[in-house]
Amino acid sequence: MGITIKDIARETGFSVATVSRVLSNKEGFFSQKTATIINAAAAKLGYKKNMAATELVTQKSNVIAIIVNSTKTNFSEAIIDGIQKKATEANKRVIILYAGDHHAQSQQRALTTALERPIMGILLLSVDLFAENLKLLKSARVPFRFISISFKDPTLNYVASDDYQIGYEATKYLIEMGHRCIGLAGIDLESGAHTGKQRLAGYQRALLENGIIPQKSWIQPGNYSYTAGEQAMLNYHQQKKVTAIITGSDLVGVGLLNQAAKLNLNVPNDLSIIAIDGTYLCKIVQPQLTSVTQDFYQMGYLGAAYLINGQYQNAFTDIEITERQSVKKRSL
């Protein structure tokens, strides 16, 4: 059992109430000499303040709970770094919980674990909650905000990239590089998948603006994973139609790139690739992947700032095209 204020009171001869006031930094109830004796005894005995108990009594918390999708992503670290930076500036603490890979019970377990203790709010990183878990979150009346995922529902606050603009800008870039047959690979288009559907809508708009009729075979849905990229490349190779591909994530891009090499296709001479995300994965492959780069650090920082300050507006962070080696201009 840990050291308590009763142990310190016994060690120093002061009352439990005096020890409690000193360790809670309450002013005007004790002398500096008394504080010095009590703090020295606390250090000697190895006393650690029970923050959870204190928060239960005061009904105030400095803890932000981060709930992360357990899918292997390559951008959550940058988001968490942004959250941690803002939390440190505001003297807040952070706990991290994992919500499984779109698994209802794992989501519920992460939420209940967070809600069982006093917290000032919850930040959900790329977590698309099941309906029953969203109901649980709303009923808890704890401030929350989604990061790196947006919604049509006006009651759900988020900080993310504009996925419609991502799809549009990636397609427009490839068209400007001379491509007319452009694939879109590895995006989730299942019911309720707002991110994938927004990227698809932006992609379609850019094609139609340039007089290009999108073909159904150009779209290869998936779950944003490396495996989805591999499978998409196999499907495209059978068609032999597209000259450039937009990948739903960097992981999809790497899977597609490696599968292309197995099929003896040269990137970018035979096929151009532009990935969505722009994380370090784009730089550690050959050729390096051109990307639509998202500002994940800013998403985390801004999301934490809004939560801490009680601001409820939504926000889109900036995106940009980062040119590397995987896109080649095509002769018209």
Side-chain angles (χ1 to χ4, degrees):
M1 185 174 177
I3 300 298
T4 69
I5 60 174
K6 290 182 179 179
D7 297 314
I8 299 172
R10 193 177 302 113
E11 173 76 13
T12 61
F14 293 106
S15 69
V16 170
T18 299
V19 172
S20 177
R21 292 188 186 105
V22 170
L23 297 179
S24 298
N25 295 317
K26 292 182 178 178
E27 298 179 356
F29 295 95
F30 49 83
S31 68
Q32 184 58 50
K33 181 179 178 180
T34 297
T36 300
I37 294 171
I38 289 174
N39 284 323
K44 173 186 172 183
L45 296 174
Y47 172 76
K48 293 182 180 179
K49 190 172 183 179
N50 188 334
M51 293 302 296
T54 301
E55 290 164 355
L56 280 169
V57 172
T58 63
Q59 293 300 301
K60 293 181 179 179
S61 177
N62 288 322
V63 175
I64 298 171
I66 303 175
I67 298 181
V68 185
N69 195 322
S70 294
T71 303
K72 286 184 168 55
T73 64
N74 47 298
F75 55 78
S76 59
E77 182 177 349
I79 296 176
I80 292 171
D81 285 346
I83 294 171
Q84 188 66 65
K85 173 65 174 175
K86 181 58 187 177
T88 300
E89 291 175 356
N91 196 29
K92 308 300 181 186
R93 293 176 293 133
V94 166
I95 60 172
I96 301 174
L97 302 164
Y98 290 92
D101 183 6
H102 199 60
H103 187 266
Q105 289 183 335
S106 297
Q107 287 182 0
Q108 183 184 51
R109 191 177 303 115
L111 286 170
T112 53
T113 300
L115 295 171
E116 281 170 353
R117 62 159 298 154
I119 52 174
M120 68 171 300
I122 298 176
L123 295 172
L124 300 101
L125 277 56
S126 295
V127 177
D128 190 2
L129 291 175
F130 287 86
E132 62 270 28
N133 292 328
L134 181 57
K135 183 178 180 181
L136 169 64
L137 179 59
K138 286 182 174 181
S139 68
R141 300 188 182 279
V142 171
F144 64 90
R145 180 175 292 271
F146 292 87
I147 299 181
S148 188
I149 184 171
S150 61
F151 301 90
K152 290 188 292 185
D153 185 343
T155 67
L156 301 180
N157 293 125
Y158 58 81
V159 176
S161 297
D162 185 336
D163 288 297
Y164 182 92
Q165 199 64 24
I166 284 176
Y168 180 82
E169 293 296 338
T171 310
K172 180 182 174 184
Y173 173 76
L174 290 175
I175 292 171
E176 290 172 350
M177 294 295 285
H179 295 276
R180 306 281 296 178
C181 300
I182 301 169
L184 180 60
I187 61 169
D188 184 1
L189 295 176
E190 295 295 324
S191 177
H194 186 66
T195 296
K197 290 178 180 179
Q198 286 294 296
R199 292 178 182 179
L200 174 62
Y203 159 86
Q204 291 171 330
R205 174 191 161 196
L207 291 176
L208 293 172
E209 281 184 352
N210 288 272
I212 303 170
I213 306 299
Q215 304 298 308
K216 185 177 180 180
S217 62
W218 294 356
I219 314 299
Q220 295 295 324
N223 61 352
Y224 302 103
S225 68
Y226 179 91
T227 304
E230 289 183 308
Q231 185 58 53
M233 187 65 252
L234 290 172
N235 295 340
Y236 285 128
H237 187 57
Q238 291 178 347
Q239 300 169 18
K240 300 185 184 301
K241 292 180 180 179
V242 300
T243 64
I245 302 171
I246 302 164
T247 71
S249 69
D250 292 347
L251 281 170
V252 174
V254 175
L256 198 145
L257 179 66
N258 288 345
Q259 188 64 55
K262 293 177 184 177
L263 297 170
N264 296 316
L265 295 174
N266 179 273
V267 175
N269 292 329
D270 299 324
L271 180 70
S272 288
I273 299 174
I274 181 170
I276 295 172
D277 283 342
T279 67
Y280 70 93
L281 288 182
C282 294
K283 302 176 184 178
I284 63 173
V285 293
Q286 288 296 326
Q288 293 185 351
L289 292 171
T290 292
S291 66
V292 182
T293 300
Q294 303 187 65
D295 193 343
F296 293 110
Y297 180 90
Q298 183 64 12
M299 280 184 207
Y301 186 91
L302 195 58
Y306 283 174
L307 187 73
I308 291 168
N309 297 330
Q311 296 170 262
Y312 295 101
Q313 72 268 34
N314 298 327
F316 286 134
T317 51
D318 293 338
I319 60 170
E320 64 177 3
I321 302 292
T322 304
E323 293 184 318
R324 296 189 180 91
Q325 304 159 348
S326 62
V327 175
K328 183 177 180 180
K329 192 171 183 65
R330 185 176 175 85
S331 300
L332 297 177

